[in-house]
Amino acid sequence: MIELYKKIEAIWFKLNQKLRFLLVGGFNTVFAYGVFAALFELAKIPYNPALILQYFITVNVSFITMRYYVFQSHGNIKAEYVKAWTVYIGMYFFNAFALNLFVRVLGLYPLIGQAAYLVISTILTYLLHKYFSFREKNQNPA
């Protein structure tokens, strides 16, 4: 089983970083959206508290998968964790603003508003992680 994983991993890391981000980011996005939807629809938690809980539940999964499977970082894990959480805190405030705009101003159902936000945030998250959270020391920011 370990040999099979190593073969798959060898193929995986030959993929372009942007493609790896799309695949891992797609997984993380579906996971986060699923947690949000479950909290909102099944647990009947209002959308703003559900969003906060969703971030606390899903950010660590995203950090681990992005750090290893996308950026293959070997930097200081504690420093990268703090930087990643900084990104996600900023993204949370952007998310909360956008979600409330979509729901309260545009009248969208919260699950549709959250889906619209996810389309907007994907590129921004990639750039913030690439050039901030998991930036290599010799990598130019531009």
Side-chain angles (χ1 to χ4, degrees), residues 10-112:
I11 294 167
W12 174 260
F13 286 120
K14 288 180 184 174
L15 298 175
N16 178 281
Q17 184 184 72
K18 289 178 182 164
L19 178 57
R20 290 193 320 258
F21 174 80
L22 285 174
L23 294 170
V24 171
F27 165 79
N28 288 336
T29 299
V30 169
F31 178 61
Y33 186 79
V35 169
F36 176 77
L39 292 169
F40 179 70
E41 287 290 333
L42 300 176
K44 302 297 183 201
I45 297 172
Y47 65 89
N48 282 314
L51 184 65
I52 292 169
L53 287 171
Q54 175 256 297
Y55 268 76
F56 277 109
I57 293 168
T58 62
V59 163
N60 293 315
V61 171
S62 182
F63 170 75
I64 292 166
T65 57
M66 287 291 176
R67 183 175 195 272
Y68 183 72
Y69 291 108
V70 175
F71 298 105
Q72 292 181 276
S73 177
H74 299 288
N76 181 301
I77 192 168
K78 289 178 185 176
E80 289 178 347
Y81 187 76
V82 169
K83 288 195 281 185
W85 261 101
T86 302
V87 165
Y88 285 117
I89 288 170
M91 292 303 293
Y92 163 76
F93 284 111
F94 178 51
N95 192 166
F97 171 79
L99 182 57
N100 280 282
L101 176 74
F102 292 147
V103 172
R104 293 180 181 182
V105 176
L106 300 179
L108 296 177
Y109 189 66
L111 293 180
I112 295 170

Side-chain angles (χ1 to χ4, degrees), residues 106-125:
L106 300 179
L108 296 177
Y109 189 66
L111 293 180
I112 295 170
Q114 184 64 4
Y117 163 79
L118 293 174
V119 171
I120 296 166
S121 70
T122 300
I123 295 170
L124 183 58
T125 302

